[in-house]
Amino acid sequence: MSESHANVQSTPAVTVKALTYVLSIVLWLCAIYYAFTLEWARTLFTLGLFGLAFGIYILDELIQPLEEKRYNEIYLLLICLATVVITVTYLMLNFEELLFQRTGVGRHDEYVLALLFTLTMFYLIYRAFGMAFLSVIAGGFLYAWLGAHLPGILGHGGLSITRILNVFVLDFEGFFGSISGIVAAWVSLFLLYAGLLHGYGAFDYVMRLAFRASDYIRSGIAQSAVVASLAIGSINGAQVANAAMTGSVTIPLMKDAGLKSSTAAGIEAVASSGGQIMPPVMGAAAFIMASILGISYVEVLVAGIVPALTFYIAVGIAVHYKAINQNIMYGGSIDVEEEVGMEKSQAEFLSETVKLGIPFLVLIYTLGIAQWTVTSAALYTSIAMFATGVAFPLGERALGWNELSIVDLFRMTIEGAKYGAIVFAPIAVIVAAINAIVDILVTTGVPGKLALALMDLSGGVLIIALILAMIICIILGLGMPTVAAYTIVALLVAPALVEGFALDRLTVHYFVFYAAILSGITPPIAIAVVVTTGIAQSNFWASALEAVKIAAPLFVLPFAFIYNPEIIVGGFTAHKVYSSLVLLGGAAVLVHGLNYYGRAFASRTVYFGFRGLFVVLGVVIMAAPSDLLRSALLVVAGVAIFWQIMEVNEMDITTVRASVRRRL
């Protein structure tokens, strides 16, 4: 056989790649059809969409083993694919009978199929998220099965294997339950929007926009990484994926500008994690929160604005300190756009701004102003992105700005759709698993037992209960996608705090939401830091320490929500504004204590004692329940910072007055 003939001949890997594209298109066509018509029952739609997502994930995982001829892995994945296809097809064909006529009752062959499907899901979870999370899921299964043998408060009557399999698969309550339904109906189309954004060049645009700021401020290169990661991460919905995608560009640029490898890795990890709390999408967790609490998405969005701004501004201050301390170069010292290959004329840049801005305005209008359903808002936002993503490049070609053809735009659209499906697939896997385990744990009364355990361990002291709850949330977060991390803590941990201490539900849900995200930057888990450390080639523990110091306000904000609930709940009042400003001041004091580069004392003991004082003041100003105490300490901290800066710069009050007069 000639070499040319061999090159054109299809290989199994090429065939699988092609099939992945086809299934991606089918998945989005199903999602669009459902959003337009609402013709299918949501459970049936969830079953079909998640089945397609599982298939896409398996096919994507097959490509590398096929290329490397790892036959044992290939056979196992093919068995998983066959199990998914057979199970989902059987459930769809017998949907009405299983749901309405034989709820809780299955035949022997159905239980065998359900068991095979459950084992398949366990294996997919292991491939997607590793042994740590598989241990959590398998532990939940074993807890439900062996509960009768457990002592004390943990014990329960125990569930039979057939009862567990009914919940997991045959009764449509587990893998395809209510949370999976929300993700399928509400979140999926936002991943199509994210995919189209990627396909039409939004990533390059955001990076270019962010880096333009680097010409004007000393810490611009580092700040641009924060802006880019926050913007992309808000829609991406997965801090690990966001860290890998944006970090591959931002970390080398920060290092070239003069930042230490560990600092660059820490900044990117924090920004990628912080993107999950940024409105309007908030990593898609906002939609789940609205559904669980039975309130509108707008209420969730408004509640999240102040904390997000506080976090962003505080991180900006910390990053500025890091940049000055490490003598980072101005953005003008580096040809950023040449390095990342993104030269554009002003007219082209404006055209791209309008192209990407119109769909975002559609999203804001449909969700925030017209208050359409989340499904409709996501649908029309995706349609707008497709329309502008095709029309604007064609117009630019007519003006001679690019040479993109219809074929090129078709390829970009298909690539974007495939990218969105590939991002959605592991999210579907993990959400289905969490839905199954949470349903089982709720059946065995775990939320109520957790509430009793928290009350017992904390002795009824709220602050101790909150610290314990935060630790649990960080452990359960395990670096999962934001939707999955929030879902598991919202259904297991949040009820314990609400029932045990009669706290406001919205503030509690924001508490567990923020706490779950912290797993990405909290050692020893710190999965986002693991990714950025690999890119930066830095020491993990040094990078994790930098991340914790930069993101310190994120650890305190959840406590501020509980002790100062006006930050989250209530209308736009003078008290809310005042409390929010004090919160911001406290966050600034906290990051100043941890990251300020100046040294006003020769003694190391006094120097670190002074920094520790700022940290304590910042924490108390942010979270103390007394407005009077917070305000007084903010004044004290402000005076101390002013004095410290003058000492570091060897200034006196006369010099400061003269400097102010010159500026005026």
Side-chain angles (χ1 to χ4, degrees):
M1 184 182 294
S2 67
E3 184 177 344
S4 60
H5 183 70
N7 287 337
V8 299
Q9 195 173 35
S10 296
T11 65
V14 172
T15 303
V16 169
K17 287 179 182 178
L19 189 56
T20 304
Y21 280 100
V22 172
L23 286 185
S24 298
I25 299 302
V26 173
L27 182 143
W28 294 128
L29 289 176
C30 289
I32 291 169
Y33 180 80
Y34 175 79
F36 263 122
T37 66
L38 298 178
E39 187 174 301
W40 300 317
R42 177 177 287 190
T43 303
L44 185 62
F45 168 66
T46 302
L47 180 60
L49 199 76
F50 270 43
L52 285 169
F54 300 157
I56 290 169
Y57 178 75
I58 295 170
L59 290 173
D60 189 55
E61 289 290 296
L62 260 174
I63 294 172
Q64 189 171 351
L66 284 170
E67 292 174 341
E68 299 176 1
K69 297 182 179 180
R70 303 199 301 261
Y71 292 110
N72 289 338
E73 199 171 345
I74 292 169
Y75 296 147
L76 187 54
L77 285 169
L78 287 175
I79 292 171
C80 290
L81 181 62
T83 302
V84 167
V85 171
I86 294 171
T87 304
V88 171
T89 302
Y90 181 84
L91 293 176
M92 293 186 74
L93 292 176
N94 297 275
F95 176 71
E96 292 191 2
E97 179 185 346
L98 289 169
L99 186 62
F100 300 114
Q101 299 176 23
R102 290 199 290 117
T103 301
V105 179
R107 295 192 294 263
H108 178 73
D109 57 327
E110 292 173 337
Y111 286 130
V112 171
L113 187 61
L115 179 60
L116 290 174
F117 185 77
T118 299
L119 294 175
T120 295
M121 291 300 298
F122 282 7
Y123 178 64
L124 297 184
I125 292 162
Y126 167 72
R127 291 191 67 94
F129 298 97
M131 182 58 71
F133 192 72
L134 175 60
S135 300
V136 173
I137 300 298
F141 181 95
L142 293 174
Y143 174 77
W145 181 33
L146 303 174
H149 303 286
L150 296 175
I153 193 174
L154 293 175
H156 60 86
L159 303 179
S160 66
I161 293 293
T162 55
R163 172 76 184 280
I164 295 173
L165 292 176
N166 272 319
V167 174
F168 272 14
V169 182
L170 299 177
D171 289 349
F172 306 101
E173 293 178 356
F175 294 122
F176 308 106
S178 58
I179 300 300
S180 297
I182 294 170
V183 171
W186 292 9
V187 177
S188 62
L189 283 174
F190 279 100
L191 272 302
L192 173 59
Y193 173 46
L196 293 176
L197 280 170
H198 185 272
Y200 295 137
F203 173 73
D204 289 347
Y205 170 82
V206 171
M207 298 299 295
R208 185 164 55 251
L209 180 65
F211 282 120
R212 288 197 172 194
S214 64
D215 291 333
Y216 306 106
I217 58 175
R218 178 75 178 274
S219 58
I221 290 289
Q223 300 289 3
S224 63
V226 175
V227 173
S229 296
L230 287 175
I232 296 170
S234 176
I235 297 175
N236 185 290
Q239 50 189 310
V240 175
N242 188 43
M245 181 168 50
T246 58
S248 61
V249 176
T250 60
I251 289 174
L253 285 169
M254 286 190 282
K255 290 174 64 177
D256 289 346
L259 278 177
K260 295 178 183 177
S261 297
S262 57
T263 304
I267 290 172
E268 179 57 45
V270 170
S272 295
S273 300
Q276 313 304 303
I277 67 173
M278 296 300 291
V281 180
M282 294 167 58
F287 311 125
I288 305 295
M289 189 182 299
S291 176
I292 292 175
L293 295 177
I295 60 178
S296 71
Y297 162 79
V298 175
E299 290 179 74
V300 175
L301 171 64
V302 171
I305 292 175
V306 169
L309 288 177
T310 299
F311 171 76
Y312 173 71
I313 294 171
V315 168
I317 294 171
V319 168
H320 184 73
Y321 283 160
K322 294 290 184 184
I324 300 301
N325 186 41
Q326 298 179 27
N327 198 28
I328 190 173
M329 291 183 287
Y330 278 96
S333 304
I334 304 174
D335 193 344
V336 176
E337 297 205 347
E338 182 179 345
E339 288 207 18
V340 293
M342 297 187 289
E343 297 95 339
K344 291 274 187 177
S345 68
Q346 290 291 340
E348 290 175 292
F349 186 76
L350 178 61
S351 174
E352 198 167 11
T353 301
V354 177
K355 177 185 80 175
L356 300 172
I358 289 175
F360 188 74
L361 291 176
V362 170
L363 173 63
I364 297 299
Y365 174 78
T366 52
L367 273 180
I369 299 175
Q371 297 192 26
W372 291 5
T373 65
V374 175
T375 303
S376 296
L379 171 65
Y380 287 101
T381 299
S382 299
I383 291 173
M385 186 69 258
F386 171 73
T388 60
V390 172
F392 275 75
L394 290 177
E396 291 170 0
R397 182 183 181 183
L399 294 172
W401 294 352
N402 67 51
E403 298 180 356
L404 292 174
S405 65
I406 292 290
V407 174
D408 293 326
L409 292 172
F410 177 78
R411 177 185 55 78
M412 292 164 65
T413 303
I414 298 301
E415 287 289 346
K418 188 235 183 183
Y419 176 82
I422 293 298
V423 172
F424 176 66
I427 292 177
V429 169
I430 195 66
V431 167
I434 286 173
N435 202 148
I437 290 301
V438 167
D439 277 358
I440 284 291
L441 295 181
V442 169
T443 300
T444 57
V446 166
K449 294 174 183 178
L450 188 58
L452 292 175
L454 277 178
M455 287 292 290
D456 186 44
L457 291 172
S458 66
V461 179
L462 178 58
I463 184 62
I464 298 177
L466 292 175
I467 292 172
L468 292 172
M470 174 171 279
I471 293 171
I472 294 170
C473 290
I474 291 173
I475 294 172
L476 290 177
L478 286 173
M480 291 186 294
T482 305
V483 170
Y486 166 69
T487 300
I488 194 168
V489 298
L491 296 177
L492 294 181
V493 181
L497 293 174
V498 172
E499 295 170 12
F501 295 91
L503 299 173
D504 180 83
R505 294 178 71 212
L506 182 57
T507 57
V508 168
H509 276 257
Y510 261 95
F511 177 95
V512 299
F513 172 44
Y514 272 54
I517 290 172
L518 288 172
S519 65
I521 57 174
T522 305
I525 300 172
I527 189 65
V529 178
V530 171
V531 173
T532 58
T533 293
I535 298 172
Q537 296 181 329
S538 60
N539 177 270
F540 169 78
W541 290 102
S543 301
L545 178 61
E546 291 281 42
V548 170
K549 287 163 64 178
I550 293 167
L554 195 58
F555 289 83
V556 183
L557 277 169
F559 297 93
F561 303 156
I562 301 298
Y563 287 106
N564 299 283
E566 69 277 358
I567 296 168
I568 296 292
V569 299
F572 188 75
T573 63
H575 186 212
K576 185 185 186 77
V577 173
Y578 176 76
S579 184
S580 300
L581 291 174
V582 174
L583 176 74
L584 176 59
V589 172
L590 177 57
V591 296
H592 178 87
L594 290 170
N595 300 282
Y596 183 59
Y597 53 87
R599 186 161 183 165
F601 303 98
S603 168
R604 288 176 59 86
T605 302
V606 176
Y607 167 68
F608 284 108
F610 206 61
R611 293 184 66 174
L613 176 63
F614 280 129
V615 171
V616 173
L617 286 174
V619 170
V620 175
I621 292 167
M622 289 183 69
S626 168
D627 284 345
L628 181 61
L629 177 62
R630 295 169 70 207
S631 303
L633 292 181
L634 181 59
V635 172
V636 171
V639 171
I641 290 173
F642 180 72
W643 174 83
Q644 183 188 33
I645 292 174
M646 287 201 303
E647 285 292 314
V648 169
N649 293 280
E650 298 180 348
M651 301 167 63
D652 56 30
I653 193 65
T654 304
T655 308
V656 174
R657 286 175 178 171
S659 176
V660 171
R661 289 195 186 99
R662 283 196 302 271
R663 292 178 182 274
L664 294 176

